[in-house]
Amino acid sequence: MASSANQNINAKLVLLGDVGAGKSSLVLRFVKGQFVEFQESTIGAAFFSQTVAVDDATVKFEIWDTAGQERYHSLAPMYYRGAAAAIIVYDITNQASFDRAKKWVKELQAQGNPNMVMALAGNKSDMVDGRTVAPEDAQTYAQENGLFYLETSAKTATNVNEVFYEIAKRLPRLQQTPNPSGMVLVDRPAESANSASCCS
Ligand code: GTP
Ligand code: MG
Protein backbone atom coordinates (compact mmCIF):
# COMPACT_ATOMS: atom_id res chain seq x y z
CA MET A 1 0.00 0.00 0.00
CA ALA A 2 1.37 3.43 -0.86
CA SER A 3 2.11 5.58 2.15
CA SER A 4 2.05 9.36 2.11
CA ALA A 5 5.83 9.34 2.67
CA ASN A 6 6.37 7.60 -0.64
CA GLN A 7 8.05 9.90 -3.11
CA ASN A 8 7.88 10.00 -6.86
CA ILE A 9 11.31 10.72 -8.23
CA ASN A 10 12.27 11.33 -11.84
CA ALA A 11 15.88 10.52 -12.51
CA LYS A 12 17.92 11.03 -15.64
CA LEU A 13 20.32 8.11 -16.04
CA VAL A 14 23.05 7.68 -18.63
CA LEU A 15 24.89 4.54 -19.75
CA LEU A 16 28.48 4.99 -20.88
CA GLY A 17 31.08 2.51 -21.96
CA ASP A 18 33.05 0.97 -24.78
CA VAL A 19 31.58 -0.29 -28.04
CA GLY A 20 30.07 -3.71 -27.53
CA ALA A 21 30.29 -3.68 -23.72
CA GLY A 22 26.55 -4.32 -23.57
CA LYS A 23 24.93 -0.99 -22.72
CA SER A 24 21.98 -1.44 -25.07
CA SER A 25 21.61 -5.05 -24.03
CA LEU A 26 21.39 -4.09 -20.36
CA VAL A 27 18.74 -1.49 -21.14
CA LEU A 28 16.79 -3.89 -23.33
CA ARG A 29 16.88 -6.48 -20.54
CA PHE A 30 15.81 -3.96 -17.90
CA VAL A 31 13.09 -2.24 -19.92
CA LYS A 32 11.70 -5.12 -21.99
CA GLY A 33 13.05 -8.28 -20.38
CA GLN A 34 14.64 -9.29 -23.67
CA PHE A 35 18.06 -10.20 -25.01
CA VAL A 36 19.25 -10.47 -28.60
CA GLU A 37 22.52 -12.13 -29.67
CA PHE A 38 23.09 -9.64 -32.47
CA GLN A 39 22.30 -6.28 -30.94
CA GLU A 40 23.09 -3.48 -33.38
CA SER A 41 25.66 -0.90 -32.44
CA THR A 42 23.94 2.25 -31.22
CA ILE A 43 24.01 5.33 -33.40
CA GLY A 44 24.07 8.59 -31.41
CA ALA A 45 21.94 7.57 -28.44
CA ALA A 46 18.62 5.97 -27.64
CA PHE A 47 16.05 6.94 -25.02
CA PHE A 48 14.02 4.64 -22.79
CA SER A 49 12.08 4.96 -19.58
CA GLN A 50 11.28 2.51 -16.85
CA THR A 51 9.91 2.82 -13.34
CA VAL A 52 11.08 0.93 -10.29
CA ALA A 53 9.63 0.90 -6.79
CA VAL A 54 11.93 0.79 -3.79
CA ASP A 55 11.04 1.02 -0.07
CA ASP A 56 10.27 4.70 0.18
CA ALA A 57 10.05 5.86 -3.41
CA THR A 58 8.94 5.19 -6.93
CA VAL A 59 11.69 6.14 -9.32
CA LYS A 60 11.03 6.83 -12.96
CA PHE A 61 14.31 6.45 -14.83
CA GLU A 62 14.76 8.48 -17.98
CA ILE A 63 17.48 6.43 -19.60
CA TRP A 64 19.97 7.58 -22.22
CA ASP A 65 21.75 4.67 -23.85
CA THR A 66 24.76 6.28 -25.53
CA ALA A 67 26.85 5.01 -28.44
CA GLY A 68 30.27 3.65 -27.53
CA GLN A 69 31.85 4.36 -30.90
CA GLU A 70 34.57 6.96 -30.52
CA ARG A 71 33.14 9.23 -33.20
CA TYR A 72 30.14 9.90 -30.91
CA HIS A 73 32.29 10.82 -27.91
CA SER A 74 31.68 14.55 -28.33
CA LEU A 75 27.93 14.01 -27.89
CA ALA A 76 28.30 12.38 -24.50
CA PRO A 77 28.13 15.57 -22.38
CA MET A 78 24.60 16.20 -23.68
CA TYR A 79 23.56 12.94 -22.09
CA TYR A 80 25.49 12.98 -18.82
CA ARG A 81 24.95 16.67 -18.08
CA GLY A 82 22.29 16.97 -15.40
CA ALA A 83 22.12 13.21 -14.99
CA ALA A 84 21.37 11.95 -11.49
CA ALA A 85 22.97 8.60 -12.19
CA ALA A 86 25.34 6.83 -14.54
CA ILE A 87 26.07 3.20 -15.28
CA ILE A 88 29.56 2.75 -16.64
CA VAL A 89 29.67 -0.57 -18.45
CA TYR A 90 32.63 -2.73 -19.41
CA ASP A 91 32.92 -6.28 -20.69
CA ILE A 92 34.65 -8.66 -18.24
CA THR A 93 36.25 -10.46 -21.20
CA ASN A 94 37.78 -7.27 -22.59
CA GLN A 95 40.50 -5.44 -20.66
CA ALA A 96 40.44 -2.49 -23.07
CA SER A 97 36.78 -1.93 -22.22
CA PHE A 98 37.73 -1.72 -18.52
CA ASP A 99 40.37 0.90 -19.35
CA ARG A 100 37.73 2.80 -21.33
CA ALA A 101 35.36 2.59 -18.36
CA LYS A 102 37.97 4.25 -16.14
CA LYS A 103 38.28 7.07 -18.66
CA TRP A 104 34.53 7.61 -18.51
CA VAL A 105 34.65 7.76 -14.74
CA LYS A 106 37.41 10.38 -14.95
CA GLU A 107 35.37 12.43 -17.38
CA LEU A 108 32.30 12.27 -15.15
CA GLN A 109 34.36 13.21 -12.09
CA ALA A 110 35.65 16.25 -13.98
CA GLN A 111 32.50 17.34 -15.83
CA GLY A 112 29.49 15.56 -14.38
CA ASN A 113 27.10 16.38 -11.58
CA PRO A 114 29.18 16.00 -8.39
CA ASN A 115 26.37 14.16 -6.59
CA MET A 116 25.84 11.69 -9.40
CA VAL A 117 25.22 8.11 -8.31
CA MET A 118 27.64 5.97 -10.29
CA ALA A 119 27.54 2.25 -10.90
CA LEU A 120 30.28 0.17 -12.46
CA ALA A 121 28.82 -2.81 -14.30
CA GLY A 122 31.15 -5.64 -15.32
CA ASN A 123 28.91 -7.11 -17.98
CA LYS A 124 28.89 -10.52 -19.73
CA SER A 125 29.38 -12.34 -16.42
CA ASP A 126 27.95 -15.42 -18.17
CA MET A 127 31.23 -15.59 -20.14
CA VAL A 128 33.46 -16.45 -17.16
CA ASP A 129 35.72 -18.64 -19.26
CA GLY A 130 36.80 -15.63 -21.27
CA ARG A 131 37.30 -13.36 -18.27
CA THR A 132 40.30 -11.01 -18.44
CA VAL A 133 39.25 -8.43 -15.82
CA ALA A 134 39.57 -9.73 -12.26
CA PRO A 135 36.62 -8.88 -10.03
CA GLU A 136 39.04 -7.77 -7.29
CA ASP A 137 40.53 -5.15 -9.61
CA ALA A 138 37.12 -3.77 -10.47
CA GLN A 139 35.98 -3.82 -6.84
CA THR A 140 39.10 -1.97 -5.67
CA TYR A 141 38.81 0.58 -8.45
CA ALA A 142 35.12 1.15 -7.70
CA GLN A 143 35.73 1.59 -3.98
CA GLU A 144 38.54 4.07 -4.54
CA ASN A 145 36.37 6.12 -6.86
CA GLY A 146 33.06 6.11 -5.03
CA LEU A 147 31.17 3.83 -7.40
CA PHE A 148 29.31 0.70 -6.52
CA TYR A 149 30.22 -2.36 -8.50
CA LEU A 150 28.21 -5.32 -9.77
CA GLU A 151 28.86 -7.98 -12.36
CA THR A 152 25.91 -8.30 -14.70
CA SER A 153 24.72 -10.41 -17.56
CA ALA A 154 22.21 -8.99 -19.99
CA LYS A 155 22.02 -12.48 -21.45
CA THR A 156 20.99 -14.34 -18.29
CA ALA A 157 19.51 -11.25 -16.55
CA THR A 158 21.88 -11.67 -13.58
CA ASN A 159 22.07 -8.46 -11.51
CA VAL A 160 20.46 -6.31 -14.21
CA ASN A 161 17.43 -5.17 -12.20
CA GLU A 162 19.70 -5.00 -9.16
CA VAL A 163 21.88 -2.29 -10.68
CA PHE A 164 18.87 -0.08 -11.23
CA TYR A 165 17.39 -0.85 -7.79
CA GLU A 166 20.68 -0.03 -6.10
CA ILE A 167 20.78 3.28 -7.93
CA ALA A 168 17.16 4.00 -7.00
CA LYS A 169 17.97 3.38 -3.35
CA ARG A 170 20.99 5.69 -3.45
CA LEU A 171 19.37 8.66 -5.21
CA PRO A 172 18.92 11.67 -2.95
CA ARG A 173 15.41 12.05 -1.55
CA LEU A 174 13.47 15.28 -1.65
CA GLN A 175 13.95 17.23 1.55
CA GLN A 176 10.98 16.50 3.82
CA THR A 177 11.98 18.08 7.10
CA PRO A 178 9.86 21.13 7.89
CA ASN A 179 11.62 24.41 7.35
CA PRO A 180 12.80 25.36 10.86
CA SER A 181 13.40 29.08 10.44
CA GLY A 182 10.17 29.82 8.61
CA MET A 183 12.14 31.25 5.72
CA VAL A 184 10.31 31.73 2.44
CA LEU A 185 11.78 29.16 0.11
CA VAL A 186 9.78 30.00 -2.98
CA ASP A 187 11.07 32.83 -5.12
CA ARG A 188 9.07 36.02 -4.94
CA PRO A 189 7.48 37.17 -8.19
CA ALA A 190 9.75 39.39 -10.24
CA GLU A 191 7.83 42.64 -9.71
CA SER A 192 8.12 42.66 -5.92
CA ALA A 193 11.82 41.90 -6.17
CA ASN A 194 12.23 44.80 -8.60
CA SER A 195 10.27 47.31 -6.54
CA ALA A 196 12.38 46.50 -3.46
CA SER A 197 15.67 47.10 -5.20
CA CYS A 198 14.83 49.84 -7.63
CA CYS A 199 16.76 53.06 -7.79
CA SER A 200 16.79 56.18 -9.88
P1 GTP B 1 27.49 0.22 -28.71
O1 GTP B 1 26.07 0.59 -28.90
O2 GTP B 1 28.20 -0.04 -29.99
O3 GTP B 1 28.25 1.20 -27.86
O4 GTP B 1 27.54 -1.21 -27.90
P2 GTP B 1 26.72 -1.63 -26.61
O5 GTP B 1 27.55 -1.32 -25.40
O6 GTP B 1 25.36 -1.08 -26.63
O7 GTP B 1 26.72 -3.23 -26.73
P3 GTP B 1 25.47 -4.13 -27.17
O8 GTP B 1 24.40 -4.11 -26.14
O9 GTP B 1 25.10 -3.76 -28.56
O10 GTP B 1 26.14 -5.59 -27.13
C1 GTP B 1 27.20 -5.96 -27.97
C2 GTP B 1 27.17 -7.46 -28.19
O11 GTP B 1 27.41 -8.14 -26.94
C3 GTP B 1 25.83 -7.96 -28.70
O12 GTP B 1 26.05 -8.95 -29.67
C4 GTP B 1 25.16 -8.57 -27.49
O13 GTP B 1 24.34 -9.66 -27.80
C5 GTP B 1 26.37 -9.05 -26.66
N1 GTP B 1 26.09 -8.99 -25.23
C6 GTP B 1 25.64 -7.93 -24.52
N2 GTP B 1 25.50 -8.24 -23.23
C7 GTP B 1 25.88 -9.53 -23.11
C8 GTP B 1 25.97 -10.42 -22.00
O14 GTP B 1 25.66 -10.10 -20.84
N3 GTP B 1 26.41 -11.69 -22.25
C9 GTP B 1 26.77 -12.09 -23.51
N4 GTP B 1 27.19 -13.35 -23.65
N5 GTP B 1 26.70 -11.27 -24.57
C10 GTP B 1 26.27 -10.01 -24.37
MG1 MG C 1 24.42 0.21 -27.88
Side-chain angles (χ1 to χ4, degrees), residues 8 15 17 41-42 44 57-59 64 100 122 129 133-134 139 141-142 160 166 190 195 197-198 200:
N8 286 314
L15 286 100
S41 192
T42 304
T58 301
V59 177
W64 286 101
R100 188 71 190 87
D129 293 347
V133 182
Q139 178 66 63
Y141 175 79
V160 177
E166 285 301 318
S195 63
S197 65
C198 191
S200 57

Side-chain angles (χ1 to χ4, degrees), residues 20-25 35-37 39 41-42 68 123-124 126 154:
K23 300 175 295 298
S24 299
S25 299
F35 177 77
V36 292
E37 289 287 345
Q39 176 67 42
S41 192
T42 304
N123 190 42
K124 310 196 187 180
D126 57 288

Side-chain angles (χ1 to χ4, degrees), residues 6-9 30 50-55 57-61 161 164-169 171:
N6 207 311
Q7 295 189 3
N8 286 314
I9 299 171
F30 175 59
Q50 177 67 297
T51 301
V52 303
V54 290
D55 285 349
T58 301
V59 177
K60 183 182 176 198
F61 284 115
N161 287 342
F164 290 89
Y165 287 139
E166 285 301 318
I167 289 171
K169 283 196 238 165
L171 288 171

Side-chain angles (χ1 to χ4, degrees), residues 77-130:
M78 288 203 303
Y79 302 108
Y80 65 66
R81 203 171 288 142
I87 304 176
I88 296 98
V89 185
Y90 69 94
D91 169 352
I92 67 156
T93 71
N94 179 342
Q95 177 67 44
S97 74
F98 184 51
D99 298 338
R100 188 71 190 87
K102 292 179 184 175
K103 287 197 180 140
W104 279 120
V105 172
K106 264 208 178 122
E107 182 166 337
L108 291 179
Q109 285 168 342
Q111 324 265 6
N113 158 18
N115 303 317
M116 194 185 279
V117 177
M118 287 198 261
L120 180 66
N123 190 42
K124 310 196 187 180
S125 64
D126 57 288
M127 295 174 73
V128 268
D129 293 347

Side-chain angles (χ1 to χ4, degrees), residues 145-162:
N145 287 276
L147 292 83
F148 76 89
Y149 159 69
L150 280 177
E151 289 205 346
T152 57
S153 170
K155 184 170 182 170
T156 64
T158 307
N159 277 345
V160 177
N161 287 342
E162 284 77 358

